[in-house]
Amino acid sequence: MSTPLNGSVLKAFSILGLFSKDRPEITANSVASELGTNVATAHRFLLTLESIGVLVSYRRGYFALGGTIEELGRLAESVNPISTKVQPIINEVAREIRESVMVCRLGRRGPTCIAVAVSDQPISVKTDIGTVLPIDVTAHGRLWLTHMSKADRAHWLKGTSSDLDDELAKIKSQGFAQNQGDNEPDLGAVAVPVFGHDGKLAMTVSVFGMLSRFNDSLVSRSVTSLKQAARAISS
């Protein structure tokens, strides 16, 4: 039996997720409206977060991000290997290939984006960190499936009609996976595995963009660049 998640923690992070550059302050009314709770409960959460420095209130009823969040953000930037090591590597791939690049880890709900480098193309594709991808119709997902045990693969594919045996065998043989509009009709991607020091799949990294640009030449160049990036990340 899986361990139940703490609802209060999830609610607190849902509240923090309401902040953006366009909305630097929130109120109990906005929290209640957008998260489907009552105003009293929303206000209690806001006051609790304020009491530990996560939020600060500069005017009555309005809450902004506080100093504790700023400190954690600076700490994350200084110690997070994604920021200090992975990001510069994928930035270089995006510059070289001129398409966007994404890194995923396998989360509880599927391959989850943990880093992105956006293409400088006039028309480019981007995705947000935290985005969860389908496991059966994306290049990232199929790579994870390729390197799973049969039992784990069956668990992840439960409830889908996917018959991927031939496709996964091909991916294992060639060392990369492709998405040719399988997830979204106009988007293409090619992904390679990133192995840890234990030899197990640790991350997946892809080049992705408009499907119309994903000809054989771009795929070949992307695979070469991605494999170099994967080795650099693994090292």
Side-chain angles (χ1 to χ4, degrees):
M1 180 184 298
S2 61
T3 302
L5 303 180
N6 188 296
S8 294
V9 174
L10 294 175
K11 181 70 74 174
F13 274 89
S14 295
I15 291 172
L16 295 178
L18 297 178
F19 288 99
S20 68
K21 290 182 179 180
D22 296 327
R23 181 165 59 179
E25 293 182 314
I26 60 175
T27 66
N29 284 331
S30 63
V31 171
S33 173
E34 296 190 40
L35 298 185
T37 186
N38 60 64
V39 174
T41 298
H43 193 245
R44 185 171 68 252
F45 269 97
L46 292 170
L47 291 178
T48 301
L49 292 170
E50 181 189 24
S51 72
I52 57 176
V54 172
L55 299 182
V56 62
S57 180
Y58 295 110
R59 56 186 178 133
R60 186 177 179 84
Y62 289 81
F63 296 83
L65 294 175
T68 299
I69 287 291
E70 294 178 8
E71 293 173 7
L72 289 173
R74 287 193 293 268
L75 177 61
E77 288 183 354
S78 65
V79 302
N80 187 350
I82 301 301
S83 299
T84 59
K85 181 176 182 180
V86 175
Q87 193 65 51
I89 293 173
I90 65 172
N91 286 347
E92 179 60 24
V93 176
R95 185 200 64 76
E96 177 186 345
I97 302 298
R98 298 200 67 211
E99 296 290 351
S100 298
V101 181
M102 183 193 328
V103 179
C104 284
R105 283 193 174 131
L106 187 62
R108 289 168 54 90
R109 295 184 293 133
T112 304
C113 175
I114 60 172
V116 179
V118 180
S119 163
D120 64 358
Q121 292 268 21
I123 299 177
S124 62
V125 180
K126 72 177 290 295
T127 192
D128 295 325
I129 292 174
T131 297
V132 179
L133 306 179
I135 200 164
D136 58 333
V137 292
T138 61
H140 284 275
R142 289 172 179 172
L143 273 177
W144 287 102
L145 290 171
T146 298
H147 293 275
M148 286 180 186
S149 67
K150 288 185 178 181
D152 287 343
R153 189 181 305 160
H155 169 75
W156 279 100
L157 292 176
K158 185 178 181 180
T160 74
S161 58
S162 300
D163 183 6
L164 296 174
D165 288 349
D166 291 343
E167 177 67 19
L168 298 183
K170 178 182 177 182
I171 291 170
K172 190 169 186 178
S173 173
Q174 66 189 13
F176 65 90
Q178 282 187 261
N179 171 6
Q180 298 174 307
D182 305 306
N183 184 35
E184 296 186 34
D186 297 324
L187 301 184
V190 56
V192 306
V194 180
F195 296 103
H197 294 300
D198 58 1
K200 295 181 180 179
L201 186 60
M203 290 179 269
T204 50
V205 56
S206 73
V207 166
F208 66 102
M210 301 302 296
L211 181 60
S212 59
R213 298 198 290 254
F214 271 72
N215 54 32
D216 290 343
S217 175
L218 177 61
V219 170
S220 178
R221 291 191 299 111
S222 296
V223 169
T224 298
S225 186
L226 287 170
K227 286 185 175 181
Q228 291 174 347
R231 288 192 292 269
I233 294 170
S234 294
S235 66

